[in-house]
Amino acid sequence: MKVSRLLLDALETFPNFVIIDKNAKIVYLNDSYANLLGISQEHAIGQPVVDIIPGTRMAEILKTGKPEIGHLMTLYDHTKQQDITIACNRMPIYRDGQLIGAAAVTIMQDVVHTVSQLNTELSAVRKENEYYKHELNMLRNQFDSLNRIVGHSTALTEIKQTISDYTASNLPILITGETGVGKELFARAIHELSPRKLNPYVKINCAAIPAELLESELFGYEAGAFSGASKTGKPGKFELANQGTLLLDEIGEMPLTLQSKLLRVLQEQEIERVGGVKTIQINVRIICCTNQNLQQLIREKKFRSDLYYRINTVELKIPPLRDRKEDIPELTEHFIQKYNNEHDTHVVGANTDVLQLFQTYQWPGNVRELEHIVERLCTINQNQIITPKSCGFLIDQISNTQQFLGNKIADSEPLLAKSEPAHTATSVPASEMSWNDLAQKIQTTEREAIIQALLQTNGNKAKAARLLNIDRSSLYYKLKKYNITK
């Protein structure tokens, strides 16, 4: 059986390649196989294959005439001086329908090592897959805007449902609430859940721009419209938000002259640039935010009633944090995770005494204030759980402002007023106080305040909750917690 030089060179590229004739004698054995067997190629040629390759089944191929694919066999590797398991293919060779020999080639060298390596690589792929699945879930949550609004209180759940009900519409929405409740977060959620989510989301703070510049910021201006104007003109926020959503933050600060022009834009869906003479058609959904009482501004002739009713088609009243304190633990955990990621800290969480302390505070700065306090606590407690020992500044703040449980109870005492002389806030610095004693005093004072409120309202829980400036669900929780049965 003669083989051309080119073919022989090609066969040398295969791992462990061997050819036998119909008498099961080796016709060709490539160099890699000879090295593995610890013999020379010349020695192998003409020898029975079973004498050269221990355990081979090539003679069986001559008997059956059928190929064997992926068969495992163990050989002693003289190059590594150890047994290895290889996987090989054995194929019969036919000419004119007659079986004239067989060939075999290794398809996997050292199966055990290869499988182990594959398992290692597979584990790495699985780990990477889990990472990307986690990242995908994070991205899904990121784009699921309602999930970014943290909390499951009744009030918040109702607001989320209202958002879901109206996101598909083009109705103007008015978002009201105190400073720091997160009104802009709700506005963005409305846009991202609406059919306009792929179009621009533009926002402007009406209180942050001088009145004389606000008009050009909103409606744009033509070239040379006023001194210092761009030579090419400039589009306003309405044009930039075309086909999308425009957030008018602090709408209560808008001058009356602009309120009139805004009303016309909402009715006609067209604008004119400052210094321009032609109208520009727009398609913009308006969301307005304010922390002011617009109805009071109407009575004071500071806000147009017709504009109020035009932007107030749907109103979202975002409750202050003090009215949804059941959301505080979830918000705290959310902010801890946020600042762990941002500052590379590893804060485990906040213990129950800290969460109880948070429940006693009225949070005049709302969610924003809670976020800033958690960020400060994460900085102090980089690799541990947050405890009351780190909260001296907040305890002093509660005591100094007398906002513990609200200040609507006339005779309500400051946080530490009933402490023993050795532990009073005036005689001992916060850093030297017994934190366990403090937590107990907080709970004692809270229990006494609830009992006092119930006595003043003759046991009327709804009135007592209003007197304490907390919602009824929080009051029922505390009644059960302190075993108050009145």
Side-chain angles (χ1 to χ4, degrees), residues 108-122:
M108 186 182 296
Q109 187 88 350
D110 194 353
V111 173
V112 175
H113 173 73
T114 304
V115 170
S116 176
Q117 186 176 9
L118 287 174
N119 279 332
T120 300
E121 293 177 0
L122 183 59

Side-chain angles (χ1 to χ4, degrees), residues 145 148-149 163 167 173-175 182-194 201-203 245-249 285-289 316 318:
S145 301
R148 295 209 306 270
I149 301 174
I163 291 175
T167 48
I173 292 184
L174 176 63
I175 304 176
K183 296 184 288 296
E184 202 275 330
L185 184 65
F186 290 87
R188 183 173 287 275
I190 294 168
H191 170 75
E192 292 178 351
L193 292 170
S194 75
Y201 172 76
V202 179
K203 57 183 179 179
T245 303
L246 176 62
L247 170 64
L248 298 175
D249 199 7
R285 184 182 196 176
I286 298 295
I287 300 176
C288 299
C289 293
L316 297 180
I318 313 302

